[in-house]
Amino acid sequence: MAGTINFDMPLSEAMQSQRAIRRLRPDPVDDALVLRLIDLALRAPTGSNAQAWEFVVVKDPVAKRALARLNRKAWDAYARRRGKATELDPKRRRMLDAVQWQADHFEELPVVIVACLKGRYIPFSHASAAAYFGSIFPSVQNLLLAARAANLGAALTTFSLWDVKSIRRVLGLPRTITPCAVIPLGWPVGRYGP
């Protein structure tokens, strides 16, 4: 499908119709398309213009199952606290249902991209966590907009990052690489909307 993607969608259309797409078909996504999305993500600016990022593409079923376990563990802890509060809010309930669907089907997702920063984050030793982590999010947004332009579904998630040691172990990352965001990616079950 990558051969038919031209990224001609106007930026304003991509921005106005982008939303978190969590329900994804298990259909494969062409490697060339994934690499093009990452190339576009790498074009984002940073304060120091260092672009000190690493993007790990996860397609291996064993690694996806391990990430799925980490994701479910964190999601279950979150959902227990938030479930009762959303009973009277249908919009929030739909969103939580979509997050639950993603947690239940995580290992079936065709591609999971883990956005990482080079360097080790040490809590309380950095002047600001926002300054440290903030440098990667423009690139993640570039990736999400590029995915939208390609009609791929994607969503930024951080649940599996609640256990950074384990995610490093699953992905074989050294301590000098800090995972910051997990982006499940695939062809959407649903549709984009305003």
Side-chain angles (χ1 to χ4, degrees):
M1 273 195 151
T4 63
I5 307 299
N6 58 21
F7 295 96
D8 286 342
M9 178 182 288
L11 179 59
S12 61
E13 181 182 341
M15 292 170 77
Q16 290 173 356
S17 63
Q18 180 187 36
R19 65 178 197 168
I21 303 287
R22 294 179 178 89
R23 290 182 174 100
L24 304 171
R25 298 190 320 241
D27 305 354
V29 177
D30 188 76
D31 288 343
L33 177 54
V34 173
L35 292 175
R36 179 68 176 130
L37 297 176
I38 291 171
D39 178 59
L40 292 168
L42 293 172
R43 310 286 175 160
T46 63
S48 63
N49 207 27
Q51 279 77 11
W53 310 314
E54 297 283 337
F55 287 87
V56 179
V57 178
V58 182
K59 288 185 162 186
D60 176 68
V62 174
K64 284 194 293 184
R65 273 193 300 276
L67 290 176
R69 279 191 300 276
L70 292 172
N71 187 67
R72 272 193 286 277
K73 181 179 174 183
W75 167 245
D76 288 347
Y78 178 85
R80 277 193 301 272
R81 290 192 316 248
R82 299 289 180 199
K84 298 264 188 232
T86 62
E87 288 176 358
L88 300 176
D89 185 349
K91 184 177 179 182
R92 182 114 172 107
R93 182 81 257 151
R94 280 192 307 276
M95 186 274 300
L96 292 176
D97 288 346
V99 176
Q100 182 67 58
W101 187 96
Q102 186 177 61
D104 293 342
H105 298 271
F106 199 92
E107 53 268 85
E108 299 164 24
L109 303 172
V111 180
V112 178
I113 298 174
V114 181
C116 305
L117 280 168
K118 294 176 187 174
R120 190 168 173 216
Y121 175 69
I122 302 169
F124 310 112
S125 70
H126 285 84
S128 165
Y132 179 79
F133 291 106
S135 68
I136 198 164
F137 289 110
S139 67
V140 171
Q141 180 63 7
N142 271 15
L143 185 123
L144 293 170
L145 286 169
R148 171 60 192 108
N151 290 314
L152 283 166
L156 172 91
T157 170
T158 58
F159 282 120
S160 53
L161 298 176
W162 289 9
D163 185 353
V164 171
K165 283 184 183 179
S166 293
I167 198 170
R168 278 192 178 118
R169 193 173 326 115
V170 166
L171 300 176
L173 297 175
R175 291 188 320 177
T176 56
I177 301 293
T178 302
C180 301
V182 176
I183 302 105
L185 182 74
W187 303 108
V189 170
R191 60 175 179 76
Y192 279 97

